[in-house]
Amino acid sequence: MAIQRTFSIIKPDATRRNLTGAIVAKFEEAGLRVIAQKRIHLTKMQAGVFYGVHSERPFYDELCEFMSSEPIVVQVLEGENAVARNREVMGATNPSEASEGTIRKEFALSIGENSVHGSDATDTAAVEIAYFFSGLELVG
Ligand code: GDP
């Protein structure tokens, strides 16, 4: 199996409730390694660029408001099949549909305030990592 890197965000609903460590533990238990991490506070415009793919969706403005409301933790996760593995550990977008033991099942508040973001493919992971991290910050 291939070693991959993926991009992850611990969202404002989770940082606000002091869940950063509990969520990182879930990734580590799943065999994913945090190889870069920082806590930042996005502007609404920066959140809007990141979520540009959703700009036509009805929840776009609410999503950008939420993602810029409080600090987030952005991170790069590495491991075997990291993109899919991360999505498994995160669980379904809507916490009411998420499987037992997933981050969203345990911690998410709603479909919008759902605690974590994770890249959906290796090509989007590369773009998302490059939006937040320079090469020098990716120490492996
Ligand atoms: P993800 O890949 O599982 O994060 O899901 P999507 O790419 O479909 O959506 C991106 C993010 O937009 C989700 O994680 C939610 O934070 C938010 N979102 C998605 N659907 C809804 C919705 O119906 N209402 C609201 N308020 N937010 C949503």
Side-chain angles (χ1 to χ4, degrees), residues 18-31:
N18 214 16
L19 293 170
T20 299
I23 289 174
V24 169
K26 289 278 197 188
F27 293 130
E28 293 183 340
E29 283 161 15

Side-chain angles (χ1 to χ4, degrees), residues 8-26:
S8 164
I9 301 177
I10 301 175
K11 294 185 177 182
D13 67 282
T15 61
R16 184 178 72 231
R17 290 177 291 147
N18 214 16
L19 293 170
T20 299
I23 289 174
V24 169
K26 289 278 197 188

